[in-house]
Amino acid sequence: CLASCCQCAWGCLELWTPLSVTFIMYWLIYRPDHFHPRIDSAVLATLDLTNATIRYDLAVDLSFRNTRRVAIRYLDVAASIFHPTFHGVVPVDPAVAAELQREIEAGTVHIRVTVSLTLMYKVLFVRDVFFYKYDCWLWFPPPRNHTPALFPGNGGTKCWRV
């Protein structure tokens, strides 16, 4: 009886070990954390700094590239469209206003766009959901005389995971 149990256990080990190793290698090769959104272009139409208030109008072309051969399904993107626009009037800290004023005078304004998204990742019969947040850094010449500033992102700018 003990010999037949050992043979059964060895048979199971011979069957499951190659499958387990194959699955782990597949997972390591096609991990979803190698997925990065990119900003292909952006336009800063308005950027006015008055006292400690910023008025802005920003449009961004956002793309998501799946360089892996595994399907990635998009469940939720915070901007929920791939050409998001941001505009509004925001009160800011006086130190932030002073830094922005220095950037405007220097001729380059730095803007951070944060992208939050949820990915569902499926490999064979295993399904998992991942939540990611990326920071995309843009730089613009300040818009002057009602002329929009264009983001000089040649070929797209990679966003970095936070």
Side-chain angles (χ1 to χ4, degrees):
C1 183
L2 182 61
S4 66
C5 284
C6 287
Q7 284 180 333
C8 182
W10 182 253
C12 286
L13 187 64
E14 282 183 327
L15 173 71
W16 288 106
T17 300
L19 289 175
S20 299
V21 169
T22 303
F23 180 77
I24 290 170
M25 288 177 57
Y26 189 76
W27 177 259
L28 290 174
I29 291 170
Y30 295 107
R31 290 186 343 224
D33 60 344
H34 293 282
F35 168 78
H36 290 281
R38 299 177 76 80
I39 292 186
D40 297 319
S41 65
V43 176
L44 182 61
T46 305
L47 181 66
D48 293 326
L49 179 62
T50 308
N51 297 330
T53 303
I54 298 173
R55 187 171 61 89
Y56 63 94
D57 189 1
L58 173 68
V60 176
D61 282 328
L62 188 63
S63 65
F64 297 90
R65 292 188 178 99
N66 179 5
T67 58
R68 307 295 186 192
R69 294 177 191 250
V70 176
I72 295 178
R73 185 173 170 203
Y74 307 103
L75 295 179
D76 183 29
V77 177
S80 72
I81 52 175
F82 298 112
H83 184 75
T85 57
F86 309 96
H87 54 87
V89 178
V90 178
V92 294
D93 185 78
V96 173
E99 176 63 27
L100 182 59
Q101 186 61 42
R102 281 192 291 275
E103 288 183 0
I104 290 172
E105 291 169 2
T108 302
V109 177
H110 297 90
I111 296 175
R112 180 183 72 190
V113 175
T114 301
V115 178
S116 299
L117 56 113
T118 304
L119 296 176
M120 182 177 71
Y121 190 66
K122 183 177 178 184
V123 177
L124 300 174
F125 303 108
V126 178
R127 184 184 310 173
D128 209 348
V129 177
F130 297 89
F131 305 97
Y132 293 108
K133 188 178 269 189
Y134 294 91
D135 278 345
C136 309
W137 291 94
L138 309 174
W139 58 95
F140 293 93
R144 302 199 189 272
N145 302 327
H146 303 289
T147 303
L150 302 176
F151 172 64
N154 301 332
T157 296
K158 185 177 178 180
C159 300
W160 301 98
R161 196 165 147 201
V162 184

